[in-house]
């Protein structure tokens, strides 16, 4: 694998915890790679398995469900 | 003590001194019930001591 | 300044935001006193250099920051640190007391501390606009620098072979080394400025050609021509021009000078010439000046330096004629002058003295009389020129008569100072930037003049600040310097610089010194130093005091080393260390060396439970336990955590289990009160010295010690008491009484929280809502009189319309725009499908932007709005409100979080961050296109409440609600009112309860708003918030009523013991039975000599692992009562931990003083009660003495625990609210919502929640009423639109979704459809919270959450991946 490989990751984040955690990372100026795309959900419970599979099929390198 | 000029009518407002968890909780209840609230705190932010806490017992929930 | 939020573990600035999530999230400027000086330095500087700011930074040793502060204002700080004429120093207010601050030397010092070549280049967003600057002198360089930072492409045209102008060609190397100047010019080049040297405009290139290429031109060509010397023979070769001479020297050309040289003139250039000539080896150098030394325009220090270097001076002397011998200059004839009347310049005019002519032998004369401009080339463009050859401009803007051409510096003013040219360049740069943007150029500038201190002020300051001599910078010795061009100034050492910087008067105060740096940087222009403390008068109907508490000052116990040993800290400090947003970023390290501790000790009861503070702080035991658990989570299970304690006071819900868990995690509890802490020299470790239970001395070493510092009343308590006219108790906490826990002694003023007694969060929240309830009763008729309701226009129907998306991209000042390319993002947004409008705002959340958004919605007929800014968690409600006000459904709105989740977390990756921000905008637009309006259902509210249970809590809740004006259905299963309280006769403070109970019951019965049903059973409760319907039965008849809320106050009971011969021997009683005897049975029977009380009967065991909270207090209360009635009776209390929390501690102290004996036993060595011929015998192993003890006992009293009401389960089912595993009702959140259930509209009060004391039950009951009132005071409730919706056509009734629903909001229904049974599910919109678990479980797309449909989320995924659906 290429050493410079940066995986594109989709994060489904619960509004009440993981998404607010991501906000706190910002407020605290914690730096992390730019390759995460967070999608806000009202609860990680609403993340239908198809959403995850779909994303993987369409070429995302990883899916993170945070809740 | 100086008397407010309210023509004997009750004033639909309350002053809360201290914006910690107690002051905030009281303010929310009063505002939800139609009372105008003046919430005063000596610090530039509300939150009081609880804002300084990392976690709370016994659930270890985040205090923020 | 110490950061108080981090309990002093870190420092903060005078301008600060208390903590990242502060509300309001705004900066505060902490100004403690007026600045002692007038900051005249800053106002005297033509570019208002922030002198006080950078001098303060130097005083703090922050040299880089000091340089940066300089560089941000002045592009040539190194040069100015050497050659500036320093008007700052001349005006320095300390200079009115004694020597001024050596400001210029300090500037030079910081400039020498940084390697300019390594300074980072800021991110610059290019505008694509081109600007030409003519002349690379200080003015041109300054203009170019500022314009380049604004993103413009700048080219400088310079006629000379090198850039620098007069700085390079007129100032000699020994004053300003070329290398330093070059570094500063190189930095400007690194900003993207191109410098074309050796190009003379008007000769090598025409100004008109430049004009064709560039949108704006700055003329900064200076005044490089020397004024001619007048007089006979002045045109011969030996007489030269000073500027030309210096230029030649600085260019490194060979310069012919004679042995005897005269320099004519009195300015800096003349002196530069004279000193240069000296260095070139002339034998005799003289300076000839027509006025006196006092009138010389040259800087005093330059004159001094010249004199030191042995240069002769002829003052009041004017050369008149020059004679030559053999074709070379040989003599000059001068005439003596005298000073006459002042001339136009204010200086006295020199007048020749007739007949005073004399001759001087010279072979070279250098004329340094002043400079003139050379601006022929400007004529071609029609630029106006003054008679003296200068360019007239508007001094505030640099505008010339030709549009797009600006000018500044010596070309405008004639020869002047470097800093004036820089100032002119900077002013012109602002104008040029505005001109290029199309903004009006005229700007009002606030030019504050430097002010002097008056005499009185000087006198006061002299008293306050002792005299301190100015630090003098070292210079190269005269002998070493006159033979070469080495820099004369040697600069400050860091020690000297700091010493000198500390002299600055402004820097001597704590807090803001009004250096104005923040004001200068604030793009929103929000800083206003003129703001003063204001007195505001407000009219209120009631007051709640909740000022909290402060921690004890642990330096008062010096034996523990707090404040002396860095690794001894308080529990609150440790809390900050544990916090991810704390001073060490969540890295758990000790303060002395920032190393991870391996052994931590916690010491309890520091400033609590001692002689002066005979109360318990109530929460420290659990606080320490929690911190130990979290510390282990951070540092691993090998971390040693020892907690030194006296009694483990885990008396609230779930606390004992938590304590047990902590023990299982390996946290070691040592029952001992340590005597002292000593620091181990060298390692800064700490030795804790303590006694173990059999009084042996022991000690242990730790890396860090946490003191559980107790609570004290707030420091303002006495003042608050005085202002509000309320009473305090002996500890200076606010005084209350058990039956009035939230009431002060003054009517209308209520109380909440630790102000009345040390307490934990849930009790505080209960009291807060309780106090609110009292206010609501008091002000019931005024409710709603002072608040304004928002009105919204009718909603526009957008169904069927093609999406028209408006995107608003926010700069958030520099929070976003500083790290990602906002214009690029905005441009990109324009290319996205269905986007018809893109706006870019400085602050999208500002009020005027809300109006702008509304306008744009109307103007562009937008039907979807995307704001690309911060987080929806804080700002979505605001923007939804805005779009709603513009007539759109609020759910047609989406946010792209490009701040918290982009610009702030990718601060060093501008390109990639910009790319990500574009992606986030694309994702938001993709979702926005698919957004649909959502309906916010409103449900009407029935304004009555059901209260279940009529004990103390139920009655209190009912009365509170009735007093607030609401109807109450009070349902009691027993015949009598009163519940548990019926068995309580007196309280620990002596309060008789019977009268209180009677009066409560009477008030309940009399109150017209309360419908009381006794001996009634609840059959069922249907409905939801606002709309409940309950059926009850009484004596065979049933009744139904409707209500909007429910308060559960079902209470608890005393445990009926099975142990210790209870029931088998009548001499074994429970505490309640004893109390009955003591209160009403006339006391104990005669001959009862020994009473043994056994604690924790039916509590803290396997079956009921919780502490019953009341029993320790009850035992102490009854033991004291026995002693009161029969002092000779011996009372023994067998306990595990004495949990007399809060002020009850003092009764425990009293009990011991009265001779009541407390014997501690362990859970696995419980006491035994044995019946013998001579009576009862109690055997127990005394843990403190370590021996078995046997007591004869006439009476054994069991402190039986509290058990929940057995009906809780049924009632919980009716109301769809949960119980905990012990059978008590489970609140929505243990800390923050102790009165609420997760089910809306249902509330909890009293012992149904957990065992509690009278005052606690009352507070919680009042709180429940206040919480219920938040529902009942509304006519209708608007429900959240983001909830589940069923797609009937897709649903086949498989019912997969029903069980996972955490709110039990889905039911399976059947109906007839086309002669067949159709199964489908139905969502209760009121119960649904929109979590979407149903959506994720549905295999058929039969149910979805509004605003989060699968297609909408999919669209975001696709957009993120850049693929089509």
């Amino acid at each position: 694998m290429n050493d410079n490989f940066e995986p594109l990751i989709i994060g489904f984040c619960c509004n009440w915890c993981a998404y607010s955690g991501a906000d706190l990372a910002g407020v605290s100026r914690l730096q992390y790679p730019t390759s995460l795309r967070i999608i806000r959900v009202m609860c990680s419970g609403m993340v239908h398995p198809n959403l995850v599979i779909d994303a993987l099929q369409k070429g995302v390198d990883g899916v993170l469900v945070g809740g | 003590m100086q008397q407010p000029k309210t023509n004997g009518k009750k004033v639909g407002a309350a002053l809360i001194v201290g914006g910690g968890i107690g002051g905030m909780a009281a303010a929310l209840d009063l505002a939800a019930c139609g009372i105008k609230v003046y919430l005063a705190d000596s610090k530039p932010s509300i939150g009081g001591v609880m804002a300084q806490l990392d976690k709370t017992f016994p659930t270890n929930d985040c205090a923020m | 300044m110490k950061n108080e939020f981090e309990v002093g573990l870190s420092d903060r600035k005078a301008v600060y935001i208390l903590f990242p999530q502060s509300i309001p999230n705004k900066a505060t400027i902490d100004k403690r006193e007026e600045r002692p000086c007038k900051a005249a330095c800053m106002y005297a500087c033509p570019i208002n250099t922030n002198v006080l700011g950078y001098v303060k930074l130097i005083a703090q040793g922050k040299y880089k920051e000091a340089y940066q502060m300089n560089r941000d204002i002045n592009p040539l700080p190194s040069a100015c640190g050497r050659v500036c004429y320093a008007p700052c120093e001349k005006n320095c207010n300390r200079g009115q007391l004694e020597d001024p601050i050596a400001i210029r030397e300090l500037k030079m010092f910081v400039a020498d501390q940084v390697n300019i070549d390594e300074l980072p280049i800021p991110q610059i967003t290019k505008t694509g606009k081109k600007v030409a600057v003519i002349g690379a002198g200080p003015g041109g360089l300054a203009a170019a620098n500022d314009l380049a930072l604004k993103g413009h492409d700048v080219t400088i045209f310079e006629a000379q072979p090198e850039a620098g102008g007069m700085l390079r060609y007129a100032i000699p190397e020994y004053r300003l080394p070329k290398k330093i100047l070059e570094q500063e010019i190189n930095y400007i080049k690194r900003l993207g400025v191109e410098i074309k040297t050796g190009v003379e405009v008007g000769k090598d290139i025409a100004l008109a050609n430049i004009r064709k290429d560039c949108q704006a031109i700055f003329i900064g060509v200076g005044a490089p021509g020397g004024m001619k010397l007048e007089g006979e023979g002045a045109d011969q070769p030996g007489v030269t021009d000073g500027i030309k001479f210096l230029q030649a020297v600085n260019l490194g050309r060979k310069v012919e000078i004679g042995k005897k040289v005269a320099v004519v003139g009195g300015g800096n250039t003349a002196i530069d010439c004279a000193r240069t000539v000296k260095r070139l080896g002339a034998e005799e150098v003289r300076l000839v000046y027509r006025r006196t030394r006092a009138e010389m325009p040259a800087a005093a220090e330059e004159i001094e330096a010249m004199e030191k270097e042995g240069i002769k001076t002829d003052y009041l002397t004017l050369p008149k004629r020059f004679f030559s011998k053999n074709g070379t200059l040989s003599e000059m004839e001068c005439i003596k002058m005298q000073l006459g009347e002042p001339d136009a310049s204010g200086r006295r005019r020199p007048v020749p003295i007739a007949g005073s002519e004399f001759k001087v032998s010279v072979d070279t004369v250098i004329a340094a009389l002043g400079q003139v401009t050379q601006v022929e080339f400007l004529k071609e463009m029609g630029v106006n020129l003054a008679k003296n050859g200068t360019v007239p401009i508007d001094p505030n803007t640099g505008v010339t008569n030709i549009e797009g051409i600006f000018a500044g510096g010596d070309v405008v003013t004639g020869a002047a100072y470097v800093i004036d040219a820089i100032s002119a360049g900077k002013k012109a740069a602002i104008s040029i930037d505005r001109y290029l943007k199309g903004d009006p150029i005229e700007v009002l500038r606030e030019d504050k003049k430097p002010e002097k201190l008056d005499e009185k002020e000087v006198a006061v300051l002299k008293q306050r600040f002792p005299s301190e001599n100015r630090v003098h910078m070292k210079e190269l010795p005269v002998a070493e310097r006159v033979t070469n061009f080495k820099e004369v100034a040697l600069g400050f050492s860091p020690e000297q610089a700091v010493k000198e910087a500390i002299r600055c008067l402004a820097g001597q105060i704590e807090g803001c010194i009004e250096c104005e740096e923040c004001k200068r940087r604030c793009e929103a222009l929000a800083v206003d130093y003129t703001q003063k403390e204001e007195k505001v008068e407000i009219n209120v109907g009631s007051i709640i005091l909740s000022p909290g508490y402060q921690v004890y000052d642990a330096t008062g116990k010096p034996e523990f080393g707090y404040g002396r040993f860095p690794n001894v800290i308080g529990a609150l400090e440790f809390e900050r260390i544990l916090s991810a947003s704390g001073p060490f970023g969540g890295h758990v390290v000790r303060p002395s060396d920032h190393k991870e501790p391996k052994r931590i000790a916690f010491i309890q009861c520091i400033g609590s439970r001692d002689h002066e503070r005979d109360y318990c702080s109530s929460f420290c035991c659990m606080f320490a336990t929690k911190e130990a658990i979290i510390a282990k989570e951070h540092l691993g299970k090998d971390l040693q955590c020892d907690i030194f304690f006296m009694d483990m006071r885990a008396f609230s819900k779930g606390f004992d289990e938590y304590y047990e868990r902590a023990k299982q995690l390996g946290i070691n509890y040592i029952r001992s009160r340590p005597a002292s802490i000593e620091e181990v020299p060298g390692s800064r470790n700490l030795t804790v010295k303590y006694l173990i239970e059999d009084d042996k001395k022991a000690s242990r070493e730790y890396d860090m010690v946490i003191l559980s510092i107790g609570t004290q009343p707030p420091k303002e308590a006495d003042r608050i008491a005085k202002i509000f006219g309320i009473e305090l108790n002996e500890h200076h906490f606010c005084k209350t009484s058990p039956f009035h826990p939230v009431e002060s002694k003054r009517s209308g003023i209520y109380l909440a929280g630790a102000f009345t007694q040390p307490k934990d969060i849930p009790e505080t929240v209960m009291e807060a809502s309780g106090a609110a309830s009292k206010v609501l009763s008091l002000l019931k008729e005024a409710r709603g009189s002072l608040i304004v309701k928002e009105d919204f226009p009718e909603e526009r129907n957008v169904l069927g319309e093609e999406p028209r998306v408006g995107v608003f991209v926010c700069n958030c000042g520099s929070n976003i725009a500083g790290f990602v390319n906002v214009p690029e993002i905005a441009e990109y947004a324009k290319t996205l499908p269905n986007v018809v409008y893109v706006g870019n705002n400085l602050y999208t959340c500002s009020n005027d932007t809300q109006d702008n958004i509304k306008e744009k919605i109307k103007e562009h007929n937008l039907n979807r709005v995307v704001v690309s800014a911060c987080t929806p968690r804080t700002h979505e409600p605001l923007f939804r409100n805005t779009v709603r006000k513009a007539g759109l459904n609020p759910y047609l709105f989406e946010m792209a979080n490009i701040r918290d989740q982009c610009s702030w977390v990718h601060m060093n990756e501008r390109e990639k961050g910009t790319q990500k921000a574009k992606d986030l905008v694309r994702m938001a637009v993709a979702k926005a296109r698919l957004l649909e309006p959502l309906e916010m259902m409103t449900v009407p509210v029935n304004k009555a409440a059901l209260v279940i249970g009529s004990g103390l809590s139920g009655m209190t809740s009912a009365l509170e609600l009735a007093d607030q004006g609401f109807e109450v259905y009070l349902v009691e299963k027993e015949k009598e009112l009163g519940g548990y309280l019926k068995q309580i006769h007196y309280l620990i403070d002596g309060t008789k309860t019977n009268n209180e109970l009677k009066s409560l019951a009477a008030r309940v019965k009399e109150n017209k708003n309360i419908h009381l049903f006794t001996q009634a059973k609840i059959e069922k409760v249907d409905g939801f918030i606002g709309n409940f319907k309950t059926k009850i039965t009484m004596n065979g008849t049933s009744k139904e009523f409707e209500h909007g809320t429910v308060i559960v106050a079902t209470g608890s009971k005393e445990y009926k013991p099975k142990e210790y011969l209870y029931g088998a021997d009548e001499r074994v009683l429970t505490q309640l039975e004893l109390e009955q005897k003591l209160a009403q049975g006339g006391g104990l029977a005669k001959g009862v000599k020994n009473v043994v009380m056994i604690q924790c009967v039916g509590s803290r065991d396997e079956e009921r692992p919780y502490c019953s909270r009341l029993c320790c207090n009850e035992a102490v209360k009854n033991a004291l009562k026995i002693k009161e009635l029969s002092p000779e009776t011996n009372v023994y209390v067998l306990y595990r931990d004495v949990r007399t929390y809060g002020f009850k501690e003092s009764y425990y102290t009293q009990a011991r003083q009265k001779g009541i004996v407390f014997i501690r036993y362990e859970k696995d060595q419980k006491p035994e009660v044995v019946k013998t011929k001579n009576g009862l015998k109690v055997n127990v192993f005394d843990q403190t003495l370590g021996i078995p003890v046997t007591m004869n006992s006439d009476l054994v009293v069991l402190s039986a625990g509290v058990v929940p009401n057995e009906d809780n389960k049924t009632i919980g089912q009716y109301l769809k609210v949960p119980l905990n595993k012990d059978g008590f009702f489970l609140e929505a959140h243990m800390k923050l919502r102790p009165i609420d259930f997760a089910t809306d509209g249902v509330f909890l009060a009293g012992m149904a929640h957990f065992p509690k004391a009278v005052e606690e039950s009352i507070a919680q009951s009042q709180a429940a009423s206040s919480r219920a009132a938040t529902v009942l005071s509304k006519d209708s409730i608007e429900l959240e639109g983001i909830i589940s919706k069923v797609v009937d056509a897709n649903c086949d009734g498989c019912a997969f979704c029903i069980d996972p629903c955490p709110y039990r909001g889905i039911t399976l229904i059947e109906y007839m459809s086309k002669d067949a049974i159709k199964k489908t599910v139905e969502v209760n919109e009121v119960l649904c919270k929109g979590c979407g678990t149903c959506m994720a479980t549905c295999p058929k797309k039969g149910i979805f959450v509004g605003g989060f449909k699968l297609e909408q989320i999919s669209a975001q995924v696709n957009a993120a991946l850049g693929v089509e659906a």
Side-chain angles (χ1 to χ4, degrees), chain C residues 708-742:
Chain C
S708 287
I709 305 175
T711 62
Q712 285 201 311
K715 60 173 179 291
E716 301 269 281
D718 289 348
R719 210 167 69 89
I720 291 172
K722 216 173 141 196
I723 292 171
F724 292 96
I726 54 167
E727 266 181 69
L728 302 182
N729 69 12
E730 71 271 27
H731 301 297
H732 294 250
F733 285 94
C734 191
K735 200 167 183 174
T736 59
S737 61
F739 280 88
H740 305 279
V742 300

Side-chain angles (χ1 to χ4, degrees), chain B residues 1-6 8-64, chain C residues 4-5 16 18-19 21-24 28 538-547 549 575-576 578-579 622-623 626 630 653 655 658 661 724 746 760-761 764-765 768-769 772 775-776 778-779 781-787 1229-1232 1266-1267 1269-1270 1273-1274:
Chain B
M1 206 163 277
Q2 204 187 337
Q3 287 300 316
K5 314 165 195 84
T6 57
K9 270 193 191 163
K10 282 184 178 165
V11 181
L15 165 69
I16 299 180
V17 180
I21 183 65
M24 293 192 291
L28 286 170
D29 279 4
L30 289 178
C33 293
I35 300 290
K36 180 173 181 150
V37 179
Y38 299 93
L39 180 58
D41 198 290
S42 58
K43 292 228 160 62
S45 172
I46 56 170
V49 179
M50 192 170 174
Q52 289 173 280
L53 304 184
D54 176 38
K55 301 274 164 53
T56 58
F57 51 82
T59 52
N60 290 357
D61 278 3
C62 172
M64 203 46 91
Chain C
E4 54 273 61
F5 187 78
Y16 70 109
L18 189 61
F19 55 98
Q21 302 94 330
S22 281
I23 295 174
T28 305
I538 52 173
N539 279 344
V540 293
S542 185
I543 293 167
I544 295 175
L545 301 176
S546 55
Y549 67 96
E575 193 77 19
R576 295 311 305 151
L578 291 170
S579 170
M622 298 323 290
F623 206 96
K626 171 195 72 179
I630 306 289
K653 207 173 187 175
F655 287 9
Y658 195 64
R661 207 174 101 209
F724 292 96
R746 185 167 172 200
D760 191 10
I761 296 164
T764 297
V765 173
S769 285
V775 174
L776 292 172
L778 185 69
L779 304 180
E781 54 286 18
R783 216 161 49 199
S785 60
L786 291 177
I787 55 166
H1229 187 282
M1230 295 192 87
K1231 287 289 180 209
L1232 298 175
S1266 162
R1267 301 296 300 142
T1270 62
S1273 59
K1274 293 186 175 67

Side-chain angles (χ1 to χ4, degrees), chain C residues 1178-1195:
Chain C
V1178 181
N1179 301 317
V1180 65
F1181 189 86
D1182 183 328
Q1183 292 290 336
T1184 311
L1185 300 176
I1187 49 165
V1189 180
T1190 298
M1191 286 160 285
N1192 288 321
S1193 181
D1194 304 308
L1195 207 56

Side-chain angles (χ1 to χ4, degrees), chain C residues 1060-1282:
Chain C
Y1060 302 121
L1061 302 180
Y1062 182 79
D1065 189 305
E1066 60 184 14
R1067 289 166 296 183
V1068 181
L1069 307 175
T1070 65
Q1071 286 288 0
L1072 287 180
E1073 287 161 352
L1074 171 70
E1075 187 167 334
Q1076 172 82 14
K1077 253 187 202 302
L1078 294 174
Q1080 291 173 332
L1084 296 176
K1086 275 212 172 121
V1088 175
K1089 288 214 177 72
N1090 294 310
V1091 177
V1092 178
M1093 294 183 175
I1094 303 176
Q1095 299 303 105
C1096 297
V1097 179
S1099 298
R1100 300 180 70 191
D1101 58 14
E1102 269 67 40
E1103 205 183 331
R1104 277 171 297 276
Y1106 59 91
C1107 164
S1108 292
R1109 188 175 176 119
L1110 303 175
C1111 338
C1112 284
N1113 298 327
E1114 291 297 295
V1116 169
K1117 173 181 92 174
N1118 288 336
L1120 282 169
K1121 193 76 178 179
I1122 290 171
K1123 281 286 186 189
E1124 180 193 322
L1125 297 171
S1126 155
E1128 67 284 358
T1129 302
N1130 298 313
V1131 184
Y1132 303 91
V1133 180
L1134 314 187
Y1135 73 99
R1136 288 169 59 192
D1137 290 280
V1138 177
R1139 293 181 168 175
T1140 45
Y1141 57 92
F1143 295 145
K1144 301 210 167 89
E1145 177 70 13
S1146 66
Y1147 296 99
Y1148 174 38
T1149 308
Q1150 226 180 82
R1152 282 174 294 162
Q1153 283 163 351
K1154 294 235 160 102
I1156 295 162
V1157 179
F1158 288 81
I1159 299 172
R1160 191 171 69 80
Y1161 73 90
E1162 285 276 337
K1163 186 182 167 192
D1164 42 17
Q1165 276 181 301
K1166 283 190 176 161
E1168 267 182 337
V1169 180
V1170 194
K1171 196 170 177 175
T1172 67
K1173 273 183 284 179
N1174 305 326
L1176 295 174
K1177 217 175 228 176
V1178 181
N1179 301 317
V1180 65
F1181 189 86
D1182 183 328
Q1183 292 290 336
T1184 311
L1185 300 176
I1187 49 165
V1189 180
T1190 298
M1191 286 160 285
N1192 288 321
S1193 181
D1194 304 308
L1195 207 56
V1196 172
V1197 183
L1198 306 182
S1199 286
V1202 178
V1203 294
N1205 190 325
E1206 66 273 12
D1207 295 336
N1208 285 358
K1209 209 174 165 191
T1210 341
I1211 288 170
Q1213 278 166 359
Y1214 289 153
L1215 296 169
K1216 303 192 184 85
V1217 295
L1219 306 183
N1220 73 359
K1221 66 179 173 23
D1222 302 320
F1224 294 102
F1225 282 101
L1226 182 62
E1227 61 274 36
H1229 187 282
M1230 295 192 87
K1231 287 289 180 209
L1232 298 175
R1233 297 179 64 196
I1235 318 136
D1236 300 4
F1237 281 107
T1239 304
D1240 287 342
V1242 188
F1243 305 97
L1244 179 57
M1247 301 236 282
H1249 164 256
F1250 198 67
K1252 48 178 70 76
V1254 163
E1255 62 273 19
E1256 294 163 345
S1257 281
I1258 292 176
Q1260 195 182 12
S1261 311
Q1262 291 169 330
S1265 308
S1266 162
R1267 301 296 300 142
T1270 62
V1271 178
L1272 300 178
S1273 59
K1274 293 186 175 67
D1275 297 326
S1276 62
I1277 298 173
E1278 193 165 74
L1279 303 175
E1280 175 57 56
I1282 299 174

